[in-house]
Amino acid sequence: MSNCLRGRLLAAIFSAGLAGAIAAPAAAETLADAIALAYENNPTLQSQRATQRALDETYVQARTGWRPTLNLTASANYSEDRSPAAIINPALRRTFEDGNSANVGLTFTQPLWTGGRVAAAVSAANADVLAGRENLRRIEAQILANVIEAYSNVRRDQEALHIREENVKVLTRQLQESQARFDVGEVTRTDVAQSQARLAQAQASFQQAQAQLAISRATYAQVIGQNPGELAPEPSLAHLLPQDPDQAYTLAEQFNPQLRAQQYTEMASRARVAGAHAERMPQVSARATYGFEGPAIPQPPNDPFERGLYGRAITGSVNVTVPLFSGGLTSSRIRQAVERNTADRLTVEGVRRNVLQSVTSYWSQLIAARANIASSEEQVRAANIAAEGTRQEQQVGLRTTIDVLNAEQELRQAQLNQVSARRDEYVAAAGVLSAMGRLEARNLIPTAPQYDAAKNFRKLRITWGWVPWEEAVGVVDRFATPWQAPSPGEKPVEAAIPPGLTDTPAPTEAPNPQ
């Protein structure tokens, strides 16, 4: 753990206990600020972007199958032979011979037709890149959902701590009042003990609220990168939400990143089926060699390399390779690719069902949370009246101390329910947007710089190694085969929905929930 992060987490712990005592700053931190900071600096999102840029390179690597290669080869050899002379001429004691040879050459190889192998690999890599972009959208939605949840949790826990703190103050006054009345003989020691017990319980709940706020602040620091200050109320998400669940289902089937990623994955595996079939096809390539080669003949010891004896050679050839028998390897790879594509195709339906189930779940949570907000508001209003009335009735002897304590407890619980219901409603709304594919930075913070996942890919489309005739070779390779690989294209993207997050607080009721 870095010292910077450790410091933020320690600050989250110690500042939680001081939350009630610190005055609010002049400008409160907004949800848009938190989202912008996480969008720029969150390590998980930054890592996924780097992963996507690495995935872009697979498309370039696949296209190199249509591009030429140029290799330089060079070698030099020297030999020395020492033989007993008696074998050759008894008059000589020994014989000594040395020789050398060397060659250097350039080899240029250009694929002309791969039988569809490279075309299938390019289509599969293109589909993988598009699937990776959708996975990046999915990670972005997860991070933004985590930001919204962390922000809402801190807001909830700050308000809950304030409620608990106020409860301690009220019960402290109640204990003081009970003690005073006991001293003059108006109440019994039982009333004092009841007040003491409720105050102790309230103090324990206050400590728990402080701990929960510290946990939420630490989560906020982990997701967003800084400790929360005074947080402004959550802005409305109503302009992004659909009017009914049918519209949510339709949009989710079109734009959910997880579903679209799986559809691209199925396209990639279908292209690999075509590539497996293409292994049965011939390959055609052209080769040209230009080089120099020296003779392997004896040379004088003082002149081991005589340049005048080297010859120049230029050769050109067209090579055709026809696979005839692979021991069943090609057939096995075809069956394997077909089954993997079948699995991916079935997974598409599974993911679609999961997406629709997520929409249903979050929409139901949204409706329930909004109903809870309405109910809790009425509960708080009625509990306020009941608590005030019970205190007044106690003054005239119509209520006991335990009645006042119970009424006060019901009021605080109603306030806590109201705070939790508002948090649950906002988080459920973010869940609906995530399942629909709308929880994106361009919809939430359109004025912030947006990361373009396709920019790096466009830059790599024509880069070092590209040759002008590559496109023509690719067209021939793609269409001159009985097993054409699918050409995945980018799916339509929903237009950004203005104006983004504003300072308007979230409404307590939804537009036409059904």
Side-chain angles (χ1 to χ4, degrees):
M1 180 187 295
S2 67
N3 291 332
C4 182
L5 178 58
R6 183 183 291 110
R8 287 196 294 268
L9 297 180
L10 288 173
I13 294 174
F14 292 114
S15 61
L18 302 175
I22 298 177
E29 181 180 349
T30 66
L31 179 58
D33 296 334
I35 289 177
L37 187 60
Y39 184 73
E40 181 180 0
N41 298 320
N42 184 272
T44 302
L45 187 56
Q46 295 288 344
S47 173
Q48 188 63 31
R49 289 170 180 169
T51 299
Q52 180 60 32
R53 292 192 293 271
L55 187 61
D56 291 342
E57 299 291 345
T58 62
Y59 182 77
V60 179
Q61 294 165 14
R63 293 187 68 91
T64 58
W66 290 328
R67 297 174 181 176
T69 58
L70 182 64
N71 296 313
L72 172 66
T73 59
S75 65
N77 302 293
Y78 176 79
S79 62
E80 179 180 295
D81 183 17
R82 297 177 181 269
S83 303
I87 298 177
I88 303 174
N89 187 350
L92 301 176
R93 296 181 59 85
R94 63 177 182 174
T95 61
F96 172 78
E97 293 182 355
D98 64 349
N100 61 76
S101 65
N103 63 76
V104 60
L106 289 173
T107 302
F108 177 88
T109 304
Q110 171 63 55
L112 300 178
W113 181 55
T114 69
R117 294 171 176 83
V118 176
V122 170
S123 295
N126 191 16
D128 288 338
V129 169
L130 295 174
R133 292 183 194 172
E134 297 300 329
N135 284 327
L136 178 58
R137 287 184 60 222
R138 177 178 58 83
I139 296 298
E140 177 184 330
Q142 288 180 356
I143 297 301
L144 299 187
N146 291 342
V147 171
I148 291 175
E149 183 175 3
Y151 190 98
S152 301
N153 287 348
V154 172
R155 285 259 307 152
R156 176 200 62 192
D157 295 338
Q158 286 176 341
E159 294 183 22
L161 182 62
H162 177 73
I163 293 171
R164 295 295 188 187
E165 183 181 22
E166 184 64 25
N167 191 36
V168 170
K169 293 178 181 178
V170 171
L171 292 178
T172 300
R173 290 195 299 267
Q174 180 64 35
L175 175 59
Q176 293 170 350
E177 180 181 345
S178 297
Q179 184 65 48
R181 295 181 66 187
F182 171 73
D183 292 340
V184 298
E186 293 184 5
V187 296
T188 66
R189 183 169 296 277
T190 302
D191 296 279
V192 176
Q194 289 172 341
S195 297
Q196 290 173 337
R198 288 297 175 88
L199 177 58
Q201 181 183 9
Q203 290 172 337
S205 298
F206 177 73
Q207 296 295 330
Q208 291 176 356
Q210 283 185 319
Q212 181 58 50
L213 177 57
I215 294 172
S216 297
R217 288 172 61 86
T219 302
Y220 185 100
Q222 182 266 328
V223 175
I224 298 168
Q226 69 178 24
N227 284 322
E230 184 67 21
L231 302 184
E234 296 90 339
S236 174
L237 296 175
H239 66 289
L240 295 174
L241 290 171
Q243 295 298 316
D244 54 65
D246 287 337
Q247 184 182 9
Y249 291 142
T250 300
L251 293 173
E253 288 190 282
Q254 291 179 348
F255 303 115
N256 180 273
Q258 185 178 4
L259 179 57
R260 287 161 63 116
Q262 184 58 40
Q263 291 169 342
Y264 282 127
T265 299
E266 189 276 331
M267 293 182 187
S269 65
R270 202 182 335 149
R272 291 186 174 95
V273 172
H277 281 289
E279 293 295 329
R280 292 175 170 172
M281 299 295 292
Q283 298 186 74
V284 181
S285 63
R287 176 175 295 180
T289 303
Y290 177 83
F292 297 88
E293 184 174 358
I297 60 175
Q299 298 295 326
N302 294 330
D303 189 12
F305 294 100
E306 177 60 45
R307 290 176 294 176
L309 299 178
Y310 282 76
R312 184 179 65 178
I314 301 176
T315 61
S317 63
V318 175
N319 303 316
V320 179
T321 303
V322 181
L324 297 179
F325 180 70
S326 63
L329 177 61
T330 301
S331 298
S332 177
R333 287 176 174 173
I334 292 173
R335 294 191 299 269
Q336 183 184 52
V338 168
E339 294 303 331
R340 285 177 175 170
N341 178 247
T342 301
D344 289 336
R345 187 173 64 254
L346 295 174
T347 303
V348 169
E349 179 59 26
V351 172
R352 178 181 287 107
R353 295 182 184 183
N354 290 338
V355 167
L356 297 182
Q357 186 273 337
S358 296
V359 172
T360 303
S361 176
Y362 285 121
W363 190 267
S364 300
Q365 293 175 27
L366 182 61
I367 296 174
R370 284 169 173 166
N372 289 340
I373 290 176
S375 299
S376 62
E377 287 178 347
E378 178 62 23
Q379 184 183 8
V380 169
R381 186 194 64 80
N384 262 316
I385 297 174
E388 181 62 28
T390 303
R391 284 191 294 269
Q392 293 178 2
E393 291 173 359
Q394 185 198 26
Q395 300 300 322
V396 296
L398 297 178
R399 295 285 183 175
T400 63
T401 300
I402 192 62
D403 293 329
V404 175
L405 295 175
N406 288 340
E408 189 65 32
Q409 184 178 27
E410 291 176 1
L411 173 60
R412 301 308 172 189
Q413 188 59 51
Q415 292 172 338
L416 292 173
N417 291 342
Q418 184 181 43
V419 170
S420 296
R422 289 175 177 171
R423 175 266 179 198
D424 294 343
E425 185 271 342
Y426 204 80
V427 172
V432 172
L433 297 179
S434 178
M436 292 167 51
R438 280 186 176 177
L439 196 65
E440 298 180 296
R442 62 194 184 95
N443 288 330
L444 301 180
I445 47 171
T447 58
Q450 303 293 309
Y451 181 79
D452 184 5
K455 181 179 179 180
N456 182 70
F457 182 81
R458 291 192 297 267
K459 183 173 62 176
L460 296 175
R461 182 62 180 83
I462 297 179
T463 184
W464 171 255
W466 180 85
V467 291
W469 58 86
E470 172 186 332
E471 307 298 333
V473 175
V475 170
V476 173
D477 195 46
R478 184 175 299 280
F479 294 103
T481 177
W483 298 287
Q484 294 184 14
S487 298
E490 296 187 30
K491 295 180 180 292
V493 178
E494 186 181 23
I497 303 175
L501 297 180
T502 63
D503 295 333
T504 305
T508 58
E509 294 186 4
N512 301 329
Q514 298 179 3

